[in-house]
Amino acid sequence: MPNIVVVGTQWGDEGKGKVVDVITPHVNVVVRFQGGNNAGHTVVVGRERFILHTIPSGILHANCRCVIGCGVVVDPASLIEEMESLVQRGVTLDGNLFISKNAHLIMPYHPVLDRASEAMLGARRIGTTGKGVGPAYVDKAARVGIRMADLLDERLFREKLETNLAQKNRLLREIYGAQTFRVDEILNPYLRYAGWLAPYITDTPLLLSRWIESGYHVLFEGAQATMLDIDHGTYPYITSSSTTAGGAATGTGVPPTRIHGVLGVAKAYTTRVGGGPFPTEMHGAVGEHIRARGNEYGSTTGRPRRCGWFDAVVLRYAVRINGLDTVALTKLDVLDQSETIKICTGYRYRGDILTDFPEEESALAEVEPAYEEVSGWMSPTTGAKSEADLPAKARQYLDRLEELIGVPFCLISTGAQRAETILCERSPLLAWFPSVRTSLL
Ligand code: IMP
């Protein structure tokens, strides 16, 4: 029965791929509901490291069906490259991968528009991944987007492409002074992609509905994170999709009444790539230390991530906006060598302490974090099999975070491997999937 959403609670890169990978053996279906190949989910299986951009990480499990939902924007060239690399490494896609007919395509002009727009924004640039995700969602909202189903209808695809190019080329040439495109240079490769992708393109809301009726468990895999949500994130420094739990319904066609719980993923500290407010950002040697220990470089762009302390204001906001039942805390081991650790409990703002996340850009630019300092445990946590195995000060750190955010932890991750995961006894995850206990032993 349980159909569960997994979302990021901070600014992305919390380790959702690993958490989804741990839960996947207990579900039948994993579905992505938003974003595109701006995402990079890293999953380590034995000695192999897989970085997935568009395909749900459930694909690494033989019996799991994976769906790319209608809320996702798909760059077909990048998707096919990902599919080929999985097939080469022995992963079976046929019968396991399903792509929504209504998912929108990222077209070759979208990344060009993405980068040109960023260049024009100057100091107010967003720091996008440059993959064309924002411009593809612009076209979707403007009702000129091209969908997966259109790719299968050559006449319609050509007609939409011609209409769009007439407009895009003027925009590219006259506003941005950027490269323009000919119809045939897009049409020919895209028709080839159509041949490749056709067997996977289907009515996924119908499939999901039938599967749910027949008792399948579904995991909704979010990309990016709460603070990058188009409505609830730090606008305009956000991505262009609904990254929060509500997006799981609209981005898949599964009604909210068929979703039973929401699990948030948070790092034991915070990172952010790209521009925008980041109240607990660490500058100097402390930030460098965390970046090096946590290998905090973007899996899609390789950019160094900005690093900061754990922000309980952000987490409480994520709990509220997503209705989180529980949180999986990742990368605890990265703090193993930190003598002192700070926890942000509120924001100082014009003589007040804010404990609720302020939504205005101007307020966010002014807030100063109010910190509590705890002494670090200065010993390894990797390999701990239970919370009781953790150093006492690490347990105290976890207890304090839980108290501040108001929901229980379900998993504590202390390394990249599946086995480097502690299951928390009080967690709702065990009520949803009792067999998680045996698979993590
Ligand atoms: P876009 O999604 O490429 O338009 O980028 C918009 C913002 O979201 C930028 O700050 C990106 O760095 C950020 N972003 C997009 N995808 C990810 C991700 O998977 N992890 C972390 N940040 C992301």
Side-chain angles (χ1 to χ4, degrees):
M1 228 268 271
N3 301 320
I4 303 299
V5 184
V6 173
V7 288
T9 58
Q10 297 156 323
W11 279 278
D13 310 310
E14 295 91 352
K16 295 177 290 292
K18 174 176 169 179
V19 172
V20 168
D21 187 57
V22 165
I23 302 174
T24 299
H26 313 281
V27 300
N28 311 95
V29 184
V30 178
V31 50
R32 259 287 291 274
F33 56 89
Q34 44 69 230
N37 58 329
N38 49 352
H41 290 170
T42 309
V43 182
V44 178
V45 184
R47 293 213 179 138
E48 284 207 84
R49 177 179 290 270
F50 293 84
I51 299 184
L52 297 161
H53 296 287
T54 306
I55 301 179
S57 30
I59 204 72
L60 303 177
H61 294 258
N63 296 318
C64 180
R65 293 164 194 211
C66 288
V67 177
I68 296 175
C70 53
V72 176
V73 287
V74 178
D75 180 327
S78 150
L79 173 61
I80 290 170
E81 197 180 300
E82 200 169 317
M83 289 165 75
E84 282 179 329
S85 126
L86 286 169
V87 169
Q88 272 165 19
R89 294 164 84 175
V91 175
T92 307
L93 300 179
D94 294 355
N96 285 337
L97 181 65
F98 304 86
I99 306 169
S100 169
K101 283 184 183 177
N102 289 357
H104 280 245
L105 288 165
I106 297 181
M107 302 297 290
Y109 40 82
H110 289 138
V112 180
L113 286 167
D114 194 352
R115 290 192 285 264
S117 157
E118 282 282 272
M120 209 170 252
L121 282 172
R124 286 193 64 82
R125 72 184 171 279
I126 291 144
T128 71
T129 59
K131 301 287 180 188
V133 167
Y137 280 115
V138 167
D139 280 3
K140 174 176 176 173
R143 294 159 294 180
V144 294
I146 305 183
R147 309 205 283 189
M148 277 293 164
D150 303 331
L151 194 58
L152 305 183
D153 180 335
E154 185 176 337
R155 189 198 51 78
L156 188 62
F157 182 73
R158 177 192 289 272
E159 188 186 314
K160 289 194 176 188
L161 178 62
E162 282 170 353
T163 313
N164 280 5
L165 270 189
Q167 194 194 46
K168 301 295 178 201
N169 278 340
R170 272 192 75 182
L171 185 63
L172 287 165
R173 190 175 46 242
E174 291 170 28
I175 305 291
Y176 293 119
Q179 78 179 90
T180 54
F181 292 87
R182 290 191 323 272
V183 171
D184 61 330
E185 72 183 329
I186 297 181
L187 189 66
N188 296 335
Y190 270 61
L191 291 180
R192 269 204 318 279
Y193 303 150
W196 248 92
L197 296 176
Y200 303 96
I201 300 173
T202 185
D203 180 344
T204 54
L206 182 63
L207 261 190
L208 286 163
S209 162
R210 287 190 178 145
W211 286 338
I212 290 172
E213 285 304 307
S214 69
Y216 280 17
H217 302 321
V218 180
L219 190 72
F220 298 83
E221 177 178 355
Q224 291 86 40
T226 303
M227 304 314 284
L228 291 171
D229 183 275
I230 187 151
D231 291 294
H232 305 291
T234 46
Y235 192 91
Y237 300 98
I238 44 104
T239 191
S240 303
S241 62
S242 297
T243 58
T244 45
T250 52
T252 60
V254 174
T257 47
R258 297 293 179 275
I259 298 178
H260 309 103
V262 187
L263 183 159
V265 186
K267 259 182 207 170
Y269 48 97
T270 315
T271 61
R272 165 160 216 178
V273 229
F278 184 0
T280 64
E281 184 164 12
M282 306 167 189
H283 298 281
V286 190
E288 296 288 333
H289 168 81
I290 297 292
R291 182 176 306 119
R293 273 193 63 84
N295 190 25
E296 295 296 354
Y297 294 89
S299 41
T300 300
T301 58
R303 290 180 291 177
R305 296 179 183 142
R306 299 156 69 191
C307 297
W309 294 114
F310 187 89
D311 187 336
V313 184
V314 162
L315 255 288
R316 279 196 297 267
Y317 181 70
V319 168
R320 172 159 60 84
I321 294 290
N322 295 293
L324 298 183
D325 297 294
T326 182
V327 167
L329 195 80
T330 60
K331 293 197 143 183
L332 183 67
D333 54 301
V334 173
L335 299 180
D336 286 354
Q337 301 298 318
S338 297
E339 273 174 30
T340 25
I341 298 172
K342 292 187 189 178
I343 308 169
C344 170
T345 55
Y347 295 156
R348 290 182 215 288
Y349 179 62
R350 301 190 176 177
D352 279 335
I353 295 278
L354 307 181
T355 49
D356 286 311
F357 192 80
E359 291 193 313
E360 309 83 353
E361 201 183 331
S362 52
L364 270 173
E366 267 185 56
V367 298
E368 288 289 334
Y371 284 122
E372 218 170 80
E373 252 185 44
V374 296
S375 63
W377 44 94
M378 300 297 286
S379 56
T381 52
T382 305
K385 285 282 159 221
S386 69
E387 283 178 280
D389 286 346
L390 290 170
K393 285 181 177 162
R395 289 205 307 273
Q396 282 159 17
Y397 180 64
L398 297 176
D399 288 347
R400 183 63 183 135
L401 298 191
E402 251 183 351
E403 184 178 42
L404 285 166
I405 69 178
V407 295
F409 289 140
C410 53
L411 298 168
I412 309 291
S413 170
T414 58
Q417 297 288 343
R418 282 177 187 164
E420 290 163 345
T421 313
I422 297 170
L423 181 65
C424 306
E425 287 302 321
R426 59 204 169 284
S427 117
L429 184 63
L430 275 172
W432 294 331
F433 308 113
S435 49
V436 167
R437 186 192 299 284
T438 38
S439 68
L440 278 178
L441 282 181

